[in-house]
């Protein structure tokens, strides 16, 4: 629908990337704190009130459903905006820039799923959770990188961001294909009509955000009732938001996509994701034993995130570099690349989200999922931090052609 405008790309991309790193990194630190708070509350005298509040129904949906279906639709709207911007006018706008994070993201989704299935193969009721360890939590990962500061080159931060964006795209496709319930053709038709209206707005050059958001809210309702997960409405809406400014505007920042993206960053990083973490990270640890941790579901998720993610991301990245399909990110050593691959095992937000879709109405499996996600993500964060904190910062290999990320 929109075409890239290369004439304004250099100035805008730098400021957007800096803002992105600042908001995501600090948001990730807040998310870490919220996770601890959720665990403390779930294992305190406030536990009954905490879980009771999440089960309270408001306007036909429980509080937890409002958070996971409505608030997370806004999160997916932002993800969709970032994917569109990066694909058309950013770090993923050309195939050379897409190669390394794209190949790494593919390996980082396939290998964790295989690790999970290998561990849970004898438990047919658990196989639907294969996608849980396949996603990376960019906020958490950038939060760890923020702690490390200048020890990590900017090229690796951009690589991790690009990889996570493609990771999110893969997760969106997985949710659409594998985590849908019985479909309502009537509601799907109504949702499709809303999408046609949104595309028409884009084609007609409408740059006011209000019409898009109004129709987007109606689209969300129809998608919610259709059997497809409601959060996908956020992605669909994002893809119709114009990337170009109106005829009377000359600054790229005036484009509807950029205005909406900037408006949402703070709300998502500092409110929506922390609320999601507070509502979904709480799990009672009473009676938790080593046998429970080593049971197939939490073990498969934890090893999928900690072993599968690092193996998939690093091995596929190394393969792309050795086949001369991509270069090592500028100024980064192989050990630093491995440290970033470890951080990709932090799957918190999207892993918990997919876990809730994989085992609906099964609280015991949901709790086991949370334990596996928390263990796998914690191990990945700690190991990634340790590797990056001791990794030398000298350039060990000079690329044969201009690096993809400078």
């Amino acid at each position: 629908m929109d075409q890239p405008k290369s004439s304004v790309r250099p100035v805008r991309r730098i400021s957007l990337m800096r803002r992105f790193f600042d908001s995501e990194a600090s948001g990730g630190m807040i998310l870490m704190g919220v996770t601890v708070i959720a665990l403390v509350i779930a294992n305190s005298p406030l536990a009954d009130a905490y879980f009771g509040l999440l089960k309270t129904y408001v306007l036909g949906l429980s509080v937890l459903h409002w958070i996971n279906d409505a608030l997370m639709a806004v999160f997916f709207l932002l993800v969709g905006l970032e994917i569109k911007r990066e694909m058309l006018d950013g770090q993923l706008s050309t195939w050379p820039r897409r190669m390394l994070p794209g190949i790494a993201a593919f390996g980082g989704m396939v290998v964790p799923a295989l690790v999970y299935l290998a561990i849970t193969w004898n438990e047919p009721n658990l196989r639907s959770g294969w996608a849980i360890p396949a996603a990376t939590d960019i906020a958490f990962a950038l939060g760890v990188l923020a702690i490390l500061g200048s020890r990590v080159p900017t090229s690796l931060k951009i690589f991790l961001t690009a990889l996570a964006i493609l990771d999110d795209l893969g997760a969106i496709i997985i949710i659409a294909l594998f985590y849908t319930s019985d479909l309502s053709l009537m509601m799907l038709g109504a949702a499709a009509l809303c999408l046609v209206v949104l595309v028409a707005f884009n084609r007609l050059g409408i740059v006011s955000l209000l019409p898009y958001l109004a129709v987007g809210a109606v689209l969300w309702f129809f998608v919610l009732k259709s059997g497809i997960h409601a959060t996908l409405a956020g992605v669909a809406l994002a893809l119709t938001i114009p990337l170009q400014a109106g005829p009377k505007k000359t600054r790229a920042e005036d484009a509807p996509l950029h205005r909406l993206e900037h408006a949402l960053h703070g709300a998502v990083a500092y409110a929506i994701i922390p609320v999601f973490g507070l509502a979904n990270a709480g799990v009672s640890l009473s009676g938790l034993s080593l046998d429970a941790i080593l049971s197939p579901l939490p073990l498969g998720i934890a090893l999928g995130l900690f072993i599968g993610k690092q193996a998939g991301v690093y091995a596929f990245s190394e393969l792309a570099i050795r086949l001369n399909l991509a270069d090592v990110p500028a100024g980064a050593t192989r050990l630093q690349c491995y440290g970033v691959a470890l951080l990709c095992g932090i799957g918190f937000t999207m892993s918990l989200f997919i876990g809730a879709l994989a085992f609906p109405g099964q609280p015991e499996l949901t709790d086991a999922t949370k334990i596996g996600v928390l263990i796998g993500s914690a191990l990945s964060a700690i190991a990634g931090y340790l590797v990056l904190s001791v990794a030398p910062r000298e350039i060990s290999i000079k690329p044969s052609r201009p690096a993809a990320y400078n």
Side-chain angles (χ1 to χ4, degrees):
M1 282 173 282
D2 295 291
Q3 300 296 323
K5 297 181 69 175
S6 58
S7 62
V8 295
R9 186 185 303 163
V11 174
R12 184 190 57 75
R13 187 170 65 236
I14 294 175
S15 61
L16 267 179
M17 276 296 171
R18 286 175 179 169
R19 173 177 287 197
F20 181 88
F21 290 145
D22 289 343
S23 65
E24 292 290 338
S26 54
M29 293 178 184
I30 293 173
L31 186 54
M32 295 178 197
V34 166
T35 302
V36 174
I37 293 172
L39 287 170
V40 170
I41 293 175
N43 293 275
S44 74
L46 297 175
D48 289 341
Y50 168 78
F51 291 112
L53 175 61
L54 294 177
K55 294 177 182 177
T56 302
Y57 273 74
V58 179
L59 300 177
L61 293 176
S62 69
V63 171
L64 184 60
H65 277 123
W66 276 113
I67 293 170
N68 290 350
D69 289 358
L71 286 184
M72 287 301 284
V74 180
F75 166 76
F76 275 83
L77 170 59
L78 178 60
V79 168
L81 293 172
E82 290 170 349
I83 290 173
K84 180 174 181 176
R85 170 176 54 79
E86 293 298 334
M87 287 290 188
L88 292 181
D89 195 27
Q91 292 296 334
L92 299 173
S93 59
T94 63
W95 281 108
R97 290 181 178 272
R98 295 170 189 165
M99 288 302 292
L100 187 60
I103 293 172
F106 179 77
M109 299 189 80
V110 171
V111 178
L114 293 177
V115 171
Y116 174 89
L117 288 173
I119 294 173
T120 62
W121 191 252
N122 292 325
E123 303 283 347
N125 63 314
L126 302 181
R127 291 177 191 170
S128 61
W130 63 271
I132 296 172
T136 295
D137 190 304
I138 183 61
F140 247 124
L142 284 178
V144 175
L145 289 184
I147 297 173
L148 290 161
S150 61
R151 293 200 62 87
V152 181
T154 301
S155 63
L156 274 183
K157 296 176 183 178
I158 296 174
F159 166 70
L160 177 60
T161 302
L163 187 155
I165 287 172
L166 292 173
D167 222 12
D168 286 340
L169 178 59
I172 289 166
I173 294 172
I174 287 172
I175 291 170
L177 293 179
F178 299 100
Y179 295 103
T180 57
S181 55
D182 295 333
L183 298 180
S184 167
L185 294 181
M186 184 176 69
M187 292 299 174
L188 276 177
L193 181 59
C194 290
L195 195 56
V196 169
V197 173
L198 289 168
V199 172
F201 287 166
N202 182 288
R203 293 296 189 184
L204 292 171
I206 296 176
V207 294
S208 171
L209 285 171
L210 184 58
Y212 291 95
L213 296 179
V215 176
V218 179
L219 173 66
W220 174 84
F221 174 79
F222 286 133
V223 173
L224 175 69
K225 297 297 184 180
S226 72
I228 298 175
H229 201 272
T231 51
L232 297 180
V235 180
L237 171 61
L239 297 181
T240 66
I241 303 296
L243 182 62
Q244 284 83 32
K248 296 182 180 180
K249 303 289 185 179
T250 57
R251 298 186 308 164
E253 290 83 356
D254 293 325
L257 187 146
H258 298 314
R259 287 189 282 118
L260 184 56
E261 188 179 13
H262 290 170
L264 290 178
H265 257 306
V268 170
Y270 303 127
I272 291 176
I273 293 301
V275 168
F276 173 84
L278 187 63
N280 287 273
V283 55
S284 175
L285 302 179
S286 60
L288 185 65
S289 64
L290 184 60
D291 288 340
I293 294 174
L294 296 180
S295 61
L297 180 55
L299 183 64
I301 294 171
L303 293 184
L305 287 170
F306 182 55
I307 302 298
K309 264 294 185 179
Q310 61 168 292
V313 170
Y314 189 75
F316 276 65
S317 298
E318 193 68 18
L319 181 63
I321 292 169
R322 289 185 181 276
L323 292 177
N324 207 32
L325 297 174
D327 291 312
V328 178
T333 65
R334 287 300 214 283
L335 187 57
Q336 286 177 319
C337 291
Y338 174 63
V340 168
L342 280 166
L343 292 183
C344 290
I346 305 174
F348 188 81
T349 303
M350 197 66 80
S351 292
L352 289 177
F353 186 77
I354 294 176
L357 299 180
F359 306 115
Q362 302 179 70
E364 291 184 2
L365 295 183
T366 301
D367 286 349
T369 296
K370 293 177 181 180
I371 292 170
V373 170
L374 291 171
I375 292 175
S377 298
L379 290 175
S380 299
I382 293 170
Y385 174 83
L386 292 176
V387 168
L388 289 170
S389 65
V390 301
R393 285 181 276 183
E394 293 81 7
I395 301 176
S396 59
I397 297 179
K398 294 183 179 180
S400 58
R401 57 184 183 275
Y405 303 101
N406 292 295

